[in-house]
Amino acid sequence: MAADLLHSSYILDGVPMPLTPARMLRECAVQPSPEPEGEPEALADEHLDHTPDHYPFEESAIPEYAVAVEELRRSRSFPLPYAGPYTASKVAQALLDVVWYNGHFRLGDLTLKADWKWNSKEIGHAAAFYDSVEACCNYLDALGVKLEKYNLTAGTPSVTFKAGTAVEEEDAQYQEEDLFRDTSYRTANPRLSRRRKAPAAFQPEPSDWIIYIPFDPCEYRLGGSVLAQAVGATPAIPADVADADYFMDCYEVLRELVEDGVVKAGATVGDGGLMTALRSLAAGGTGADVSIAEIAKAYGGELPVRILFSEVPGVIIQIADIDYDYVDAELILQDVVYFPIGHPTPGKPEIKLTQRIEIPQILESLLNTLEGED
């Protein structure tokens, strides 16, 4: 059955698909696997129809939502109706998870290992697998990142990715093509250690800044999120992760800040969203006073629940007050939008949401300018 899912041609919602999943994966793999002899019969399937609702997410219930998300996060089920956006967000999360480590590497030095577990016994499962593979390959191609290996085994639908440094050996037949390859996001001798350079817990310095950087400019939406699953809601729209160019710009500047030791602590914003990442950083005993007012303002009055629990890829970093101007300049130089959202609270391990924090005047001017743009 796994071989059929990979190598069959697909007819989805009555429309023949141009490539098989195996062909798409071959085109973004470091060492493509050989083509099988023959081809299984075409798989005909339909995308799952789900009934979107208007679940009454309440701002007053944010603490309860945070607990529910934490309990479900590691056992969440694959959101089949949102297979493409969910898979792209998992690719982004895997690449961000290694940005905190020791070593010398850039985004273009990384490869991914992908593991799908799947079955196609029910309507919509094969279609969701196709969408998952297509989203993975399209996003990786746009990022300039390759798959080191990929696996597909039978089981309950899921996908996991793990990033590492590239081990690609250039074949002689590709040497001419390599002369024209964009090397702006690669290094000559990449190194990656699994020891963290940036700690995974807030450091107890109340004057430090906590900065939030979304790595995609998509809207904050809850379709397919852990929160939606936790409360049994079915929002229509997921966070649509698609802007690879912006992700690359963000990654480049963040990696330099981590490698230079400017980042004192950091966490990936992924499963469970911004609130889950904040809570993970507070697990060491130092919490934070946090305001998302400027985020909401920049996104046209976005709802707090969406900002805190939508799974838009991004990071939270802690930097020293003395480094603020330097970080501000580096981020603005790369046209990276960021939000200073608070300060650590030594001895108070909770995340306290406040209405507003004082932000530097230069940033406030920038945010007001951004708000007025189309």
Side-chain angles (χ1 to χ4, degrees):
M1 185 62 69
D4 290 347
L5 282 171
L6 270 179
H7 299 290
S8 294
S9 56
Y10 279 66
I11 302 173
L12 302 181
D13 302 326
V15 178
M17 297 294 102
L19 298 171
T20 66
R23 178 60 61 87
M24 289 189 284
L25 290 166
R26 279 177 54 84
E27 291 181 358
C28 68
V30 173
Q31 295 180 335
S33 58
E35 290 276 15
E37 295 183 4
E39 183 176 298
E41 293 184 6
L43 284 175
D45 197 15
E46 299 176 2
H47 287 97
L48 286 175
D49 290 327
H50 67 291
T51 304
D53 61 19
H54 298 283
Y55 188 89
F57 291 104
E58 300 288 345
E59 187 174 349
S60 61
I62 285 173
E64 289 78 11
Y65 294 156
V67 173
V69 166
E70 188 62 36
E71 291 176 350
L72 180 65
R73 183 169 63 93
R74 299 189 186 282
S75 59
R76 70 180 300 177
S77 59
F78 189 101
L80 293 169
Y82 315 93
Y86 173 77
T87 300
S89 72
K90 296 298 286 184
V91 168
Q93 182 178 335
L95 294 169
L96 283 170
D97 281 344
V98 301
V99 78
W100 314 112
Y101 291 129
N102 275 298
H104 181 58
F105 61 90
R106 303 174 82 177
L107 181 63
D109 302 314
L110 300 177
T111 58
L112 281 184
K113 296 178 182 178
D115 285 289
W116 279 273
K117 291 183 179 179
W118 221 268
N119 62 68
S120 60
K121 295 180 180 179
E122 300 178 35
I123 293 176
H125 280 217
F129 177 72
Y130 190 95
D131 289 349
S132 178
V133 171
E134 183 178 47
C136 168
C137 294
N138 287 344
Y139 196 48
L140 287 179
D141 181 63
L143 290 170
V145 174
K146 291 285 190 178
L147 279 175
E148 182 182 337
K149 62 182 295 187
Y150 55 88
N151 293 310
L152 171 62
T153 54
T156 302
S158 68
V159 62
T160 58
F161 298 98
K162 183 177 181 180
T165 49
V167 292
E168 183 177 358
E169 294 291 339
E170 299 293 346
D171 293 331
Q173 60 180 320
Y174 295 125
Q175 285 181 355
E176 182 177 350
E177 175 186 343
D178 194 57
L179 292 175
F180 301 97
R181 178 179 293 184
D182 181 10
T183 59
S184 58
Y185 294 100
R186 304 178 72 190
T187 58
N189 298 294
R191 307 183 308 278
L192 186 150
S193 165
R194 292 291 165 177
R195 232 165 23 102
R196 286 183 69 108
K197 173 78 170 179
F202 285 133
Q203 304 302 295
E205 177 48 66
S207 66
D208 284 356
W209 284 94
I210 297 169
I211 306 257
Y212 165 56
I213 308 173
F215 271 53
D216 196 284
C218 64
E219 295 183 342
Y220 292 91
R221 292 296 180 265
L222 294 172
S225 65
V226 178
L227 176 60
Q229 289 189 20
V231 301
T234 56
I237 304 173
D240 188 14
V241 179
D243 196 331
D245 289 336
Y246 188 72
F247 185 97
M248 289 188 286
D249 290 340
C250 293
Y251 204 97
E252 179 180 19
V253 65
L254 177 65
R255 181 57 206 165
E256 290 179 358
L257 294 174
V258 171
E259 195 168 325
D260 292 343
V262 176
V263 176
K264 298 178 65 175
T268 300
V269 177
D271 289 347
L274 178 60
M275 176 58 86
T276 300
L278 285 166
R279 285 166 59 91
S280 73
L281 283 163
T286 295
D289 286 343
V290 168
S291 171
I292 60 171
E294 293 299 334
I295 307 174
K297 185 178 178 182
Y299 282 83
E302 185 57 275
L303 298 177
V305 173
R306 288 178 179 167
I307 293 171
L308 290 170
F309 296 102
S310 177
E311 294 164 8
V312 175
V315 298
I316 301 167
I317 60 174
Q318 177 183 348
I319 63 170
D321 182 60
I322 196 173
D323 289 327
Y324 190 96
D325 289 344
Y326 171 72
V327 172
D328 171 75
E330 290 296 301
L331 293 171
I332 290 177
L333 184 64
Q334 292 288 344
D335 291 325
V336 171
V337 175
Y338 74 96
F339 301 93
I341 59 174
H343 301 279
T345 54
K348 299 177 181 179
E350 68 275 3
I351 300 299
K352 180 182 177 183
L353 295 177
T354 61
Q355 290 301 311
R356 181 175 174 82
I357 60 168
E358 294 300 320
I359 61 177
Q361 186 176 3
I362 184 173
L363 178 64
E364 186 161 22
S365 175
L366 174 63
L367 290 173
N368 289 334
T369 300
L370 289 173
E371 182 189 9
E373 294 177 352
D374 292 332

